[in-house]
Amino acid sequence: MSEKYNDPKLKIFALNSNKPLAQRIADEVGVDLGKTSVDRFSDGEIRINIEESIRGCHVYVIQSTSAPVNDNLMELLIMVDALRRASAETINVVIPYYGYARQDRKARSREPITAKLVANMLETAGITRVVALDLHAAQIQGFFDVPVDHLMGAPLLADYFINHGIDKDAVVVSPDHGGVTRARALAEFLKAPIAIIDKRRPRANVAEIMNIIGDVKGKRCIMIDDMIDTAGTITLGAQALMDAGASEVYASCTHPVLSGPAIERIANSPIKQLVVTDSIQLPKEKQIDKLKQISVGPLIGDAIKRIYENKPVSPLFHNRFHGAE
């Protein structure tokens, strides 16, 4: 735990989505979590009460909008409104996992762009800054008209792989073309080459064909994605890599959504280990032996201190973040 931060104008509050991560962030910054109660009326309406003065304070609210996404998003909106009405100087929302991020564009006619709608709602509620982690689409930063600090999980994941010797003779693999930039970022930390899985469906109702672009034979493959949801793509990709002659396959992501059949698929796959962060709190039944969770608390805590002290956040994007166990 960092030494106590003695500025009473810096406040950190936790809502219900990920209290253990909020506590780690507060410990890193060196402040106590703010006193607040979040409960519900009998009909399900959310009631929030801030139990200390925040007048003139710089407030950071920790809330992942993960499942149940609508409840967690509504909690955040109500909290921001409460802070604004209580005369907080700045309202900084820390969103380790940004729900609805996959709805970032119109892929077909008459679709909403819900990631933009969420940004609009947060701004209307009264936020002054967003701190986010590995947004599904980088352009979501532009959906906000307030400053957005977009942190990356790659330095933490790289630290884990290096500390455990998994970077030796490794190839970083993107499970699709869209993730190449993310794979290249991790590969630079690991000083490793990259490979890409090229998925093609020759015609309707015919199984996808997976071609590997790059040399993986006899190599230790590290697949990386921003999130793993049902784990279909990552487990099929792992099997394709083994079929192509990989010696071992590891998988990693920042956001372990892990919905539906994900845990069963990972357990039955050739993936040796799945390395994720704690941007989403995982229930006990999802914490299988193959899954290793590392904390983004030190990273986000460091970002909060830098923002509060008007120091640059950019070093956190480019440097390895030592300490991922």
Side-chain angles (χ1 to χ4, degrees):
M1 179 171 175
S2 297
E3 61 182 70
K4 283 286 184 184
Y5 215 87
N6 58 10
D7 191 337
K9 292 295 185 184
L10 174 61
K11 304 277 189 182
I12 297 179
F13 287 92
L15 297 178
N16 282 334
S17 73
N18 199 335
K19 285 186 174 177
L21 173 58
Q23 187 62 61
R24 291 184 193 106
I25 293 168
D27 289 346
E28 178 66 25
V29 175
V31 301
D32 295 324
L33 279 176
K35 296 180 176 63
T36 184
S37 60
V38 184
D39 49 29
R40 279 166 170 69
F41 291 101
S42 58
D43 64 351
E45 288 181 5
I46 296 164
R47 177 173 60 184
I48 289 179
N49 185 42
I50 301 166
E51 297 171 353
E52 60 185 87
S53 173
I54 49 89
R55 184 178 296 274
C57 292
H58 299 276
V59 178
Y60 292 79
V61 183
I62 317 296
Q63 178 82 328
S64 283
T65 50
S66 50
V69 58
N70 297 331
D71 286 357
N72 287 333
L73 176 58
M74 200 66 201
E75 271 186 18
L76 181 56
L77 290 167
I78 294 170
M79 180 65 169
V80 170
D81 185 71
L83 291 167
R84 180 171 57 86
R85 294 174 188 278
S87 302
E89 179 71 20
T90 62
I91 303 169
N92 309 274
V93 293
V94 180
I95 311 176
Y97 172 70
Y98 187 97
Y100 288 110
R102 285 172 282 186
Q103 298 185 43
D104 63 304
R105 67 197 187 285
K106 286 184 69 170
R108 56 180 69 87
S109 300
R110 296 174 296 282
E111 269 194 342
I113 304 179
T114 317
K116 169 61 173 161
L117 174 63
V118 169
N120 289 347
M121 290 193 295
L122 286 166
E123 287 197 4
T124 300
I127 65 169
T128 50
R129 177 182 292 270
V130 176
V131 181
L133 177 69
D134 271 329
L135 292 167
H136 181 67
Q139 67 263 25
I140 291 172
Q141 296 170 83
F143 292 176
F144 291 91
D145 291 323
V146 297
V148 176
D149 291 293
H150 185 205
L151 306 177
M152 303 295 173
L156 282 166
L157 297 170
D159 237 31
Y160 178 84
F161 290 125
I162 291 169
N163 289 346
H164 291 78
I166 300 168
D167 60 319
K168 305 294 188 292
D169 208 25
V171 177
V172 177
V173 182
S174 174
D176 52 39
H177 289 276
V180 172
T181 302
R182 190 175 299 108
R184 189 172 287 123
L186 179 61
E188 286 176 5
F189 284 117
L190 301 182
K191 297 180 171 53
I194 71 168
I196 305 164
I197 297 176
D198 178 40
K199 296 182 294 186
R200 297 179 184 248
R201 194 182 296 276
R203 57 185 183 276
N205 300 319
V206 174
E208 282 184 328
I209 298 170
M210 291 195 173
N211 298 311
I212 313 296
I213 302 170
D215 180 20
V216 299
K217 191 167 185 179
K219 302 283 188 180
R220 180 180 279 141
C221 292
I222 301 173
M223 302 178 74
I224 183 167
D225 215 337
D226 65 315
M227 70 175 73
I228 296 176
D229 190 352
T230 59
T233 297
I234 210 90
T235 51
L236 289 172
Q239 188 58 58
L241 291 168
M242 292 301 290
D243 293 344
S247 62
E248 291 178 335
V249 177
Y250 291 79
S252 61
C253 73
T254 303
H255 308 301
V257 180
L258 302 178
S259 62
I263 292 297
E264 184 181 356
R265 283 174 172 172
I266 290 162
N268 296 328
S269 76
I271 293 171
K272 185 167 184 179
Q273 191 174 52
L274 171 61
V275 184
V276 303
T277 80
D278 58 350
S279 68
I280 296 173
Q281 187 177 356
L282 292 178
K284 280 276 189 275
E285 62 269 18
K286 292 186 179 181
Q287 296 175 19
I288 60 173
D289 290 341
K290 277 189 179 184
L291 190 142
K292 171 64 180 176
Q293 200 166 27
I294 58 179
S295 183
V296 294
L299 174 68
I300 295 175
D302 199 351
I304 288 173
K305 286 189 285 188
R306 287 171 177 271
I307 293 164
Y308 185 64
E309 294 168 1
N310 291 314
K311 293 179 179 176
V313 178
S314 54
L316 302 180
F317 305 156
H318 308 299
N319 302 335
R320 274 182 56 208
F321 203 87
H322 297 280
E325 296 177 355

